[in-house]
Amino acid sequence: MRGYIIRRLFESALILLGITLVTFILLYLVPADPARQIAGRSATAETVQNIRDQLGLNDPFFVQYARYLGNLFQGDMGRSYLQRAEVSELIAARLPASLMLMVAAIVTELIMGLTIGVVAALRRNKFADHSLMIFSFVSISAPQFVIGILLLYVFAVQLGWFPIGGYGTPAHFVLPAVTLGFLGAGWYSRMMRSSMIDVLAQDFVRTARAKGLSKGRIILRHVMPNAILPIIAMIGIDIGLFMSGIVVVESVFGWPGIGQLAWQAIQRVDIPVIMGVTMVSATAIVMGNLLADLVAPLIDPRIKTK
Amino acid sequence: MTATANTDGQGGARPVLTVRDLQVQVATTGGAKTVLDGLSFDLMPGETLCLAGESGSGKSMTALAIMGLLPKPMARITGGSIKLGGQELTELSEAGYRDVRSNRVAMIFQEPMTSLNPLMTVQQQLVEVLLEHDTCSRAEAPARALALLKDVRLTEPERRLKQYPHELSGGMRQRVMIAIALACEPEVLIADEPTTALDVTVQAEILDLIRLLQEEHGTTVLMITHDMGVVAEMADRVIVLRHGQEVEAAPVKDLFDAPRSDYARELLAAVPRLGAAPARPQRKLGETVVEVDDLTVRFDITGGVLNRPVARVHAVESVSFDIRKGETLALVGESGCGKSTIGKALLGLVPWEGSIRVAGRQTHGLSPRMLKPVRRDIQMVFQDPGASLDARMTVRDQVAEPMRVHGIAKGAELDDRVEYLFRRVGLKADMMDRYPHEFSGGQRQRICIARALSLSPRVIVADESVSALDVSVQAQVLELLQELQSQDDLAYLFISHDMAVIEQVADRVMVMRLGQVVEEGARDAVLHDARHPYTRRLLSAVPIPDPHRRRPPRAEAEPGLGSPIRRIGDPPTRLNLSEVAPGHRAAS
């Protein structure tokens, strides 16, 4: 087990290194000039050139990349071009809000998705199944900003159950978490439904019935734990989906997280911030997958972590 | 409950279970189909009643109907009655049925590999049924579970309790299933093909166990099987079923001595009996077409930080043999002995070491392109004809495909050849444009044989090719294979676990265990004058389809076979074969 974790951490580090290279190349190729952004529209060519020299933007690609990596290994993610602050400080100030929102969204999508999937499978080909599957189809296809604005209008503006925006109390979490988890809930309900249907046809479910167990116990103890296995691996991948969703959701709800930070940085070509946010989200995705793989053998004794 | 509790006080026993005019229908796209029609029987306390029949006879449907486990909503009871003691079961609510299941009637199933929940320990699965029926208190349950495992003679019962199903062998899992079934001391145990998926030595142990437990607990057994050997071994009385109807009901000895119905007579005649096969026709054998020398197949199991090999499966260890034109070499052994791996190595489907010559051509190290002409000479027929045909291709295309791939024929000539092949395997040419699901199991296997023959190979590897077929169909397919052999001088490598089938087809027999040959020689020498203890054990485990020659049940399980998975640097000891008689070699 320990050997397995060490190997996976080693692999994760390699993946992250690869990501820094790819992101760096992409940003290097972007036609927008950060020096021009910093200097402002009225600045002379000479001023712009000075800023470029200061930031080391005139150095060859590999010199820039090596400098970036060297700093990164010392825990220095650089300074924001525009905000006059360390990137690590900017991220540290906003990361907790985003992480909490993501956890809330995972809980939401699991509760919604699994419940819908289980009910649909048990009412297979009946009215409840058909209506729930239409609902899940809608939740998969609807754009997040539409869902967000709709929820905001109905539950915050009209009914006044939840705050319109901002961050602080548990009530603030509800609408953003539902918006963020809505897409995943749609996917999970479909996966859980088909997984349940597969497991219901297994021999050991027949054995459970032959034991004289109640239907409730068969579903809870024998069917659901087996049906949930394929879902677990998906949760790790979800964190990647959330990273793109969070940019939209944080804008709609005025959530002070790294999604907003990323959005502002991209608009203004604030390369150190973009790199920093990318690294943090890549780490979150890699760790999420690792976590999912580590949780799986706890539930399924057949998976051996070698 | 014991047998005496069921007597009426005047010495005559009352039946535990009474089935009258039972009718079961299954909804199909073509309307309701009656799969069980007017079945009646009484199950007397303490007896073993066998429901015997081929696939589609309705024997499993009967078991599921009694348990109230018919697959809803497709199948339902449309008539008749099932009475347990005085209680009518067909009118019970689902909640009422729960008190009957396991408590009064328990069931074990065919597939021990999938019949247990993979995520629960043996103890959890045993305790669950004990608590459901209030057999004991929560505190007593673990001790009771342990006692049950001891009852079914599971080795190391304390350790087994904490294990998960995947850590147990098939035989061990079936013992756990039996322990679960007997947990609440049911009056009736229904065993639906309980040993069909198991190796023959394990089958013998499980059958012995069921008999032993029946004596100890006085349980009444309703046994469902297609295997007349198992019937002869187990039954007091037999009901032969066909197409959902009773064909014959008789005490077991009467049935085997003097079957009254034509169908029972045919069924018994089709059963391969070890020791009853006719002598092999004396043919002049041609040149050697397959030469295998020092064949070794190993698979690495990797792990650790750098994904290095940590263990090795020694699937085949230094096996040598040759097969001559017109000859059948049989490979026999239990699951995991490497017999199928040898077949795959011959076709280049697994990486291997050593030397294989097909028709004089060395195949080691050949690229896929170079291997193509070799594959013309050697073809394979698999176990499951349903799975080895493409469901979305007509059978004509599937038989024609190898000839297209090898550029042998096209157009009208191809059509002619396919038609000829269909006739050769005993199928009509007008069936060619159908899809696999429109054929029966036996017909599908004929199609697979036609496909294998399409390239006019010299060698056919038949890997358990008749194991999935009903006995009457099995006999026909075996006959077809022999006919083709004598016409084309084909060489067969016949892989099977079934000693009686091997006796019918083989010229020579090789017995394998854990990847190595333990005995080889002419058919009669190996089967009738076995020298190696393992060969003898295999032979003695085969159920004999003769109720007069029933063996007494043995209580002790024999030691397991061991595992072909070994640590790196710890290869298995090479067995040395020594000649015990001319052409007959056995490991010492």
Side-chain angles (χ1 to χ4, degrees):
Chain A
M1 187 69 187
R2 185 192 287 159
Y4 174 78
I5 295 176
I6 293 171
R7 191 178 94 219
R8 289 296 307 267
L9 285 174
F10 179 70
E11 281 171 8
S12 306
L14 278 183
I15 293 171
L16 290 176
L17 193 69
I19 289 169
T20 58
L21 182 63
V22 172
T23 336
F24 213 84
I25 292 174
L26 287 175
L27 289 175
Y28 190 79
L29 294 174
V30 168
D33 184 353
R36 166 67 62 187
Q37 289 280 334
I38 296 166
R41 245 164 243 183
S42 52
T44 60
E46 197 182 340
T47 321
V48 173
Q49 197 56 42
N50 278 339
I51 294 173
R52 291 186 66 89
D53 283 340
Q54 263 175 33
L55 295 177
L57 292 176
N58 288 326
D59 294 335
F61 172 79
F62 279 106
V63 176
Q64 287 190 45
Y65 181 60
R67 186 164 54 221
Y68 171 74
L69 271 190
N71 290 337
L72 192 63
F73 276 119
Q74 291 164 31
D76 181 5
M77 300 171 105
R79 276 183 79 81
S80 162
Y81 291 163
L82 300 156
Q83 299 206 35
R84 305 288 164 216
E86 289 293 325
V87 173
S88 48
E89 283 166 16
L90 287 171
I91 289 176
R94 287 160 172 264
L95 191 60
S98 289
L99 284 182
M100 281 196 288
L101 177 56
M102 271 200 264
V103 170
I106 289 177
V107 172
T108 312
E109 68 175 0
L110 282 179
I111 292 175
M112 277 175 73
L114 299 189
T115 314
I116 292 172
V118 169
V119 172
L122 296 179
R123 292 265 171 274
R124 192 180 173 190
N125 292 335
K126 297 196 175 129
F127 178 75
D129 179 21
H130 293 307
S131 9
L132 287 171
M133 282 306 105
I134 291 172
F135 174 80
S136 84
F137 195 69
V138 171
S139 68
I140 290 169
S141 15
Q144 255 160 347
F145 66 90
V146 174
I147 303 279
I149 290 167
L150 213 64
L151 289 175
L152 207 55
Y153 180 73
V154 175
F155 293 100
V157 178
Q158 292 294 318
L159 297 169
W161 293 356
F162 301 105
I164 288 174
Y167 168 71
T169 67
H172 282 102
F173 276 91
V174 178
L175 294 182
V178 171
T179 310
L180 195 55
F182 213 63
L183 173 73
W187 281 118
Y188 284 154
S189 61
R190 300 202 146 222
M191 282 178 56
M192 190 63 182
R193 177 182 178 272
S194 67
S195 184
M196 284 281 292
I197 288 169
D198 283 349
V199 176
L200 280 167
Q202 299 276 321
D203 288 345
F204 63 79
V205 176
R206 190 181 53 188
T207 305
R209 291 186 67 202
K211 281 176 169 178
L213 304 181
S214 66
K215 192 166 185 186
R217 188 175 167 89
I218 294 173
I219 301 294
L220 285 173
R221 192 78 181 85
H222 291 272
V223 184
M224 282 181 57
N226 279 283
I228 215 162
L229 294 178
I231 312 272
I232 291 171
M234 290 294 295
I235 298 174
I237 297 169
D238 255 17
I239 296 173
L241 283 178
F242 282 158
M243 277 297 164
S244 56
I246 216 163
V247 175
V248 177
V249 174
E250 287 185 2
S251 299
V252 172
F253 291 94
W255 195 268
I258 57 168
Q260 281 208 37
L261 182 67
W263 179 232
Q264 291 159 9
I266 290 165
Q267 280 178 317
R268 292 148 73 183
V269 207
D270 194 346
I271 288 176
V273 176
I274 298 176
M275 284 299 294
V277 172
T278 312
M279 279 315 293
V280 167
S281 35
T283 311
I285 293 167
V286 169
M287 289 298 133
N289 277 306
L290 180 58
L291 209 63
D293 289 349
L294 289 179
V295 168
L298 297 181
I299 300 171
D300 189 346
R302 287 165 298 181
I303 301 173
K304 286 212 182 84
T305 47
K306 281 201 234 77
Chain B
M1 198 173 283
T2 58
T4 46
N6 273 312
T7 54
D8 55 12
Q10 292 155 16
R14 276 202 311 260
V16 188
L17 187 81
T18 309
V19 173
R20 286 286 171 273
D21 293 319
L22 186 63
Q23 193 187 49
V24 173
Q25 288 190 334
V26 173
T28 64
T29 44
K33 190 180 156 212
T34 306
V35 291
L36 202 58
D37 195 8
L39 183 67
S40 300
F41 62 86
D42 288 323
L43 196 58
M44 304 308 285
E47 76 166 343
T48 300
L49 174 66
C50 271
L51 296 182
E54 300 187 292
S55 43
S57 64
K59 53 192 194 305
S60 286
M61 282 294 173
T62 314
L64 294 174
I66 295 169
M67 287 296 284
L69 292 177
L70 284 173
K72 284 174 198 169
M74 290 89 75
R76 62 194 187 96
I77 296 174
T78 45
S81 102
I82 304 170
K83 275 208 169 87
L84 178 69
Q87 193 179 21
E88 177 59 52
L89 296 185
T90 53
E91 289 160 7
L92 273 184
S93 65
E94 181 64 24
Y97 235 123
R98 285 177 42 207
D99 289 334
V100 173
R101 294 185 192 134
S102 274
N103 211 11
R104 302 188 61 196
V105 185
M107 186 162 175
I108 52 176
F109 302 95
Q110 175 170 353
E111 281 295 339
M113 302 317 261
T114 54
S115 290
L116 291 167
N117 186 337
L119 305 187
M120 286 167 76
T121 61
V122 169
Q123 174 164 342
Q124 288 170 329
Q125 307 200 38
L126 269 165
V127 165
E128 180 179 58
V129 69
L130 288 169
L131 296 181
E132 179 69 37
H133 298 286
D134 297 319
T135 314
C136 62
S137 71
R138 191 169 285 277
E140 294 160 359
R144 183 85 190 90
L146 182 65
L148 282 165
L149 290 192
K150 286 181 179 160
D151 238 19
V152 296
R153 277 84 175 168
L154 204 58
T155 53
E156 302 178 74
E158 289 86 0
R159 192 159 74 91
R160 305 289 173 223
L161 278 177
K162 309 286 175 228
Q163 285 184 309
Y164 289 93
H166 73 276
E167 299 171 81
L168 308 178
S169 70
M172 289 185 204
R173 291 188 210 185
Q174 200 59 299
R175 282 175 197 266
V176 172
M177 278 301 290
I178 294 171
I180 290 173
L182 295 180
C184 306
E185 295 273 324
E187 294 147 62
V188 180
L189 174 68
I190 302 177
D192 186 359
E193 304 269 11
T195 57
T196 306
L198 303 173
D199 279 326
V200 59
T201 55
V202 182
Q203 159 167 304
E205 287 171 13
I206 296 290
L207 293 179
D208 285 348
L209 176 68
I210 293 175
R211 281 157 70 186
L212 212 62
L213 291 170
Q214 187 177 19
E215 278 168 23
E216 289 172 4
H217 299 256
T219 318
T220 308
V221 175
L222 178 64
M223 181 119 180
I224 285 152
T225 183
H226 71 285
D227 185 333
M228 296 312 271
V230 172
V231 172
E233 196 96 320
M234 302 292 288
D236 296 314
R237 286 192 303 130
V238 189
I239 296 175
V240 180
L241 292 175
R242 188 192 197 188
H243 304 319
Q245 287 177 321
E246 177 187 307
V247 179
E248 181 164 352
V252 65
K253 287 180 184 164
D254 295 355
L255 179 79
F256 279 79
D257 292 343
R260 281 173 284 125
S261 60
D262 291 341
Y263 177 68
R265 210 169 297 131
E266 284 165 29
L267 196 64
L268 286 167
V271 175
R273 279 155 214 265
L274 195 55
R280 290 283 295 165
Q282 284 301 313
R283 279 188 311 266
K284 222 171 112 321
L285 297 174
E287 77 271 15
T288 303
V289 282
V290 178
E291 292 171 81
V292 174
D293 196 29
D294 207 19
L295 175 67
T296 298
V297 183
R298 293 170 182 164
F299 306 101
D300 283 346
I301 300 173
T302 59
V305 179
L306 297 168
N307 239 338
R308 274 189 308 224
V310 291
R312 196 165 275 164
V313 185
H314 294 261
V316 179
E317 276 294 314
S318 184
V319 169
S320 306
F321 60 87
D322 48 39
I323 314 174
R324 297 166 72 178
K325 210 168 166 180
E327 185 185 39
T328 303
L329 172 67
L331 274 182
V332 64
E334 298 186 281
S335 42
C337 75
K339 56 189 193 299
S340 289
T341 310
I342 291 183
K344 287 180 194 157
L346 248 52
L347 276 97
L349 301 176
V350 288
W352 50 274
E353 290 302 322
S355 155
I356 297 177
R357 286 173 184 276
V358 177
R361 201 161 14 188
Q362 175 62 251
T363 68
H364 194 254
L366 290 187
S367 66
R369 201 168 54 85
M370 301 280 285
L371 210 53
K372 202 170 154 185
V374 177
R375 290 203 173 119
R376 253 185 91 157
D377 283 335
I378 183 161
Q379 286 288 305
M380 198 152 177
V381 179
F382 298 93
Q383 173 170 2
D384 184 348
S388 50
L389 290 169
D390 187 331
R392 289 179 183 79
M393 238 168 123
T394 64
V395 294
R396 175 207 293 270
D397 286 340
Q398 298 192 53
V399 172
E401 194 176 32
M403 292 188 279
R404 280 209 191 94
V405 170
H406 285 265
I408 291 175
K410 53 184 170 192
E413 196 198 342
L414 185 66
D415 288 343
D416 287 347
R417 282 193 185 228
V418 172
E419 204 182 313
Y420 167 71
L421 286 165
F422 264 75
R423 280 204 307 269
R424 272 199 84 181
V425 298
L427 294 172
K428 292 199 189 73
D430 59 11
M431 296 172 160
M432 290 195 306
D433 291 308
R434 297 189 194 166
Y435 288 88
H437 71 267
E438 297 171 76
F439 294 89
S440 69
Q443 286 173 325
R444 278 182 225 161
Q445 200 57 297
R446 284 170 191 269
I447 294 163
C448 291
I449 293 170
R451 181 174 60 183
L453 285 176
S454 64
L455 297 174
S456 317
R458 298 173 200 236
V459 190
I460 287 185
V461 177
D463 188 359
E464 299 278 8
S465 300
V466 297
S467 304
L469 305 175
D470 284 326
V471 276
S472 56
V473 182
Q474 185 178 56
Q476 292 161 11
V477 172
L478 285 174
E479 203 169 300
L480 172 69
L481 286 171
Q482 312 241 43
E483 211 176 280
L484 295 168
Q485 180 170 46
S486 59
Q487 287 164 4
D488 288 7
D489 260 348
L490 284 166
Y492 286 144
L493 178 65
F494 195 93
I495 299 166
S496 179
H497 69 282
D498 189 332
M499 291 290 200
V501 165
I502 276 183
E503 195 189 23
Q504 294 202 325
V505 299
D507 296 303
R508 283 189 300 129
V509 176
M510 271 171 67
V511 183
M512 290 190 66
R513 190 191 61 181
L514 295 177
Q516 301 197 53
V517 177
V518 298
E519 184 159 0
E520 62 174 336
R523 179 195 73 171
D524 291 346
V526 174
L527 297 185
H528 304 312
D529 185 21
R531 299 300 178 91
H532 196 273
Y534 179 68
T535 316
R536 291 200 193 138
R537 188 176 147 195
L538 271 185
L539 285 163
S540 73
V542 177
I544 306 158
D546 179 357
H548 298 287
R549 289 167 58 198
R550 203 176 271 190
R551 296 163 308 190
R554 295 155 303 173
E556 292 310 307
E558 297 204 37
L561 270 185
S563 164
I565 304 171
R566 306 183 69 95
R567 282 197 309 276
I568 300 290
D570 176 27
T573 326
R574 282 272 285 272
L575 298 177
N576 284 315
L577 297 178
S578 53
E579 193 142 55
V580 290
H584 184 181
R585 303 192 317 143
S588 40

